[in-house]
Amino acid sequence: MRFGNKDWRHKIQRTAQDHKFQATLKPRLDNAIEDWHADQPLTPKPVVVNEPINDELQTGDSRLLGGAMSIHSPWSDGPKQDPPR
């Protein structure tokens, strides 16, 4: 070997690799974050149920309010959280 051992070439190569890694890290992370967000499921919307006016339960002025209304979450664990119908 003309310049002694290969140690100095290895150090230069390693420094170049480190520089390239640091220069490309942020764009790669940004792309990975965008991909992760794109892969996430859509947020479920609550289910709104409007019942017709019940002649037996709603008399007088309460009929002006309309029928029963309930909002259910589609992500709930069923009978434990959803009110009975």
Side-chain angles (χ1 to χ4, degrees):
M1 284 188 236
R2 191 168 167 192
F3 297 107
N5 61 15
K6 292 190 206 177
D7 190 39
W8 65 274
R9 284 183 264 175
H10 177 70
K11 287 181 182 178
I12 291 175
Q13 184 180 17
R14 183 68 182 154
T15 302
Q17 287 174 344
D18 288 344
H19 178 72
K20 181 181 176 187
F21 175 79
Q22 292 299 327
T24 60
L25 181 62
K26 184 172 178 359
R28 286 186 290 138
L29 286 176
D30 290 343
N31 289 340
I33 290 170
E34 287 176 13
D35 292 344
W36 181 84
H37 282 290
D39 290 341
Q40 298 307 304
L42 297 176
T43 305
K45 303 290 182 199
V47 178
V48 178
V49 179
N50 292 311
E51 302 289 338
I53 295 174
N54 186 333
D55 292 328
E56 294 177 12
L57 299 175
Q58 292 180 274
T59 58
D61 290 338
S62 69
R63 295 175 61 79
L64 298 174
L65 297 172
M69 176 191 254
S70 62
I71 300 175
H72 305 273
S73 60
W75 55 88
S76 71
D77 60 356
K80 292 182 183 176
Q81 292 182 357
D82 291 337
R85 297 183 98 184

